[in-house]
């Protein structure tokens, strides 16, 4: 599935609706933290919405790749790294440069 950023309106409801299920709980938790602060920070709400809008549009551009990224991240967290070239080998090929 491919879409462009303009296809997802930059509103709380549109972004929440466009998010993959794997991201929903994190999205839902953050506004409560921001709005329960002693002083409401409109810039924090704007940053929150902008960040999640970027995530929603990125996920919508290629949902399979987004899911693959989450699968790999979970494998790394659980010490079951996916097969690939070890970082030491990559660095050796590049002469230690990143």
């Amino acid at each position: 599935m491919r879409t462009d950023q303009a296809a997802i309106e930059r509103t709380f409801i549109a972004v929440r609706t466009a998010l993959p299920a794997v991201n929903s709980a994190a999205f839902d938790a953050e506004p409560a933290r921001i709005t329960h602060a002693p002083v409401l920070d409109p810039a924090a709400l704007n940053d929150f919405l902008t960040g999640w809008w970027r995530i929603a549009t990125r996920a919508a551009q290629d949902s399979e790749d987004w899911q693959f990224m989450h699968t790999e991240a979970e494998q790394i967290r659980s010490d079951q790294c996916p097969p690939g070239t070890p970082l030491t080998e990559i660095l050796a090929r590049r002469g230690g440069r990143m």
Side-chain angles (χ1 to χ4, degrees):
M1 176 179 158
R2 296 203 48 91
T3 187
D4 59 61
Q5 290 182 337
I8 299 174
E9 205 176 326
R10 201 179 148 275
T11 65
F12 289 95
I13 293 171
V15 170
R16 173 63 172 80
T17 301
L19 284 172
V22 69
N23 299 112
S24 298
F27 178 91
D28 293 342
E30 201 166 345
R33 182 187 58 75
I34 294 169
T35 58
H36 287 95
V39 176
L40 181 61
D41 181 1
L45 281 173
N46 184 57
D47 291 346
F48 161 78
L49 182 57
T50 299
W52 281 104
W53 175 76
R54 288 179 179 145
I55 290 170
T57 55
R58 169 62 181 86
Q61 287 173 353
D62 189 341
S63 59
E64 288 178 24
D65 184 57
W66 189 254
Q67 183 56 48
F68 179 73
M69 183 268 308
H70 275 281
T71 301
E72 280 194 329
E74 186 53 42
Q75 289 172 340
I76 291 167
R77 274 194 292 275
S78 64
D79 276 339
Q80 299 172 347
C81 293
T85 306
L87 180 58
T88 54
E89 185 179 326
I90 293 169
L91 289 174
R93 281 191 234 156
R94 297 181 58 129
R97 293 173 288 120
M98 288 298 274

